[in-house]
Amino acid sequence: MAIDTVIIGLGYVGLPLAQEATRAGHTVLGVDINQGVVDSLNAGHSHVDDLSDGDIREMIEGGFEATTDTARISEGSVVVICVPTPLADDGGPDLRAIESAVGFIARNLKPGMLVILESTTYPGTTDEVVRPALEAGGLVAGQDFHLAFSPERIDPGNKHFGAKNTPKVVGGHTEACGDAAAAFYGSFVDTVVRAKGTREAETAKLLENTYRHINIALVNEMTRFCHELGIDLWDVIDAAASKPFGFQAFYPGPGVGGHCIPIDPNYLSYNVRARLGYPFRFVELAQEINTGMPAYVVGRVQDILNTEGRALNGSTVLLLGVTYKPDIADQRESPAVPLAQQLLAKGARVQFHDPHVMEWRSVPAAVRVEDPGSAAAEADLTILVQNHSAYDVDTLAEASRVFFDTRGKATAGEKVHRL
């Protein structure tokens, strides 16, 4: 069966994309540098939350195959880059995975091929990093091959929106490049949105997540002074959300996590500083507020324990939920990590429970408990860090000696303290 689509990077972005492309009749070859991931997929096993083993077997029946052999990129007419771009030490994006993937493509580039970058990065990456590397062999983007950027919009764990029904933004190096990319995505995505070019498409993704980052920071800062003033911010938000226009509800929490919100806005801030020489003040302030929330939670824990006549040093603190969002196993940038580390640094004995995490490698000193109810009854203080649907929050709060709710889910009571 001839390959028509190659997807480089088989994680939470590349794998759902491969699934939808396969369902639409494309013959997809997935390329990943992790041999274990490749072997597992070819054996019919999924390693991401949103796809089951049955989904992978269905993909294989549709012609999907995974490989570590980058020379096979030459078999495809469309190549999509879905590799991670973590933050580098200087605060900008670490482009090494993109550069590596582009190098693989450059060695296998053919006339007529369509190359699409989906990895989130700073504006200009497609034109300034990807294009020169691909053109080094003599082929010219927009003439000999097509080049485009289409930001990934995968929301892990979202039961309503996935790769098929989330609108796909596409920006081409040229109009014809954009046409080619739009035709490809249009074959399996319900709605394709054309951006003016690659830089506009790159910036659109950063604007989406910067918008969320800043608004989360707003309510995180409000929770501090509302607590001091005796105002229930959760009730305030519910009241404000009754307005049918001009307001969108955002909620406070112990910090921000995941693959987008804590990271992507920094790409834009980094780009503004590096190119223009001045700060993107909204982003930098939002980062300061959101990264400070674990420390704020620890301070509140100390205050709560003090009212109970206990010191944090030597107390047992139980954390409920350590992933970055509900009902998934993904722990990337979870605020539970700095929260646990700071509690440990102040002498607390930290326990945790999460139905999706059997081993918390980021915080090896934290002890996992099997029964959250029993553990809550014995702990000096229990913190709801992530509201998994498996938790009966009110029952756990009632079982606890003291319950600190950072997600606004517990019914008010003498034992319950809210963020």
Side-chain angles (χ1 to χ4, degrees), residues 109-342:
L109 189 63
K110 301 180 301 183
M113 189 177 277
L114 166 62
V115 179
I116 305 171
L117 176 64
E118 285 208 6
S119 305
T120 306
T121 183
Y122 64 84
T125 301
T126 306
D127 188 52
E128 298 167 5
V129 177
V130 178
R131 183 174 62 84
L134 294 178
E135 290 182 338
L139 298 180
V140 178
Q143 297 180 26
D144 303 308
F145 67 95
H146 295 301
L147 178 63
F149 181 84
S150 180
E152 61 89 0
R153 282 175 156 178
I154 294 294
D155 183 19
N158 193 316
K159 304 299 183 184
H160 304 289
F161 291 98
K164 179 173 173 56
N165 65 346
T166 301
K168 204 79 174 78
V169 172
V170 171
H173 173 62
T174 65
E175 189 73 16
C177 291
D179 291 342
F184 167 68
Y185 286 117
S187 66
F188 60 91
V189 177
D190 293 343
T191 305
V192 175
V193 179
R194 293 290 295 272
K196 183 178 179 181
T198 57
R199 292 172 188 265
E200 286 76 15
E202 290 163 337
T203 309
K205 173 60 186 293
L206 299 183
L207 176 59
E208 293 170 17
N209 289 328
T210 299
Y211 169 81
R212 289 186 56 79
H213 190 46
I214 289 173
N215 280 280
I216 291 169
L218 170 64
V219 293
N220 276 338
E221 185 161 40
M222 287 189 71
T223 197
R224 299 182 182 225
F225 66 74
C226 282
H227 170 68
E228 296 294 332
L229 296 173
I231 298 169
D232 186 339
L233 178 60
W234 304 93
D235 189 63
V236 170
I237 294 170
D238 288 344
S242 66
K243 186 178 181 180
F245 55 90
F247 181 83
Q248 181 179 356
F250 288 84
Y251 297 92
V256 294
H259 61 287
C260 288
I261 305 302
I263 296 175
D264 296 356
N266 291 290
Y267 298 161
L268 197 51
S269 177
Y270 171 85
N271 197 235
V272 170
R273 274 193 177 274
R275 290 175 177 268
L276 304 178
Y278 54 81
F280 190 171
R281 290 180 292 173
F282 266 121
V283 168
E284 295 183 5
L285 179 59
Q287 186 73 1
E288 177 185 335
I289 292 169
N290 288 335
T291 57
M293 286 307 292
Y296 173 71
V297 171
V298 172
R300 287 286 304 277
V301 167
Q302 286 182 299
D303 292 342
I304 293 167
L305 285 172
N306 283 342
T307 64
E308 300 291 321
R310 296 176 180 273
L312 177 55
N313 187 2
S315 290
T316 298
V317 178
L318 171 64
L319 307 183
L320 298 176
V322 298
T323 61
Y324 88 86
K325 67 182 299 187
D327 300 331
I328 65 171
D330 199 332
Q331 302 169 46
R332 284 173 296 174
E333 306 298 324
S334 172
V337 174
L339 173 58
Q341 291 171 337
Q342 292 179 41

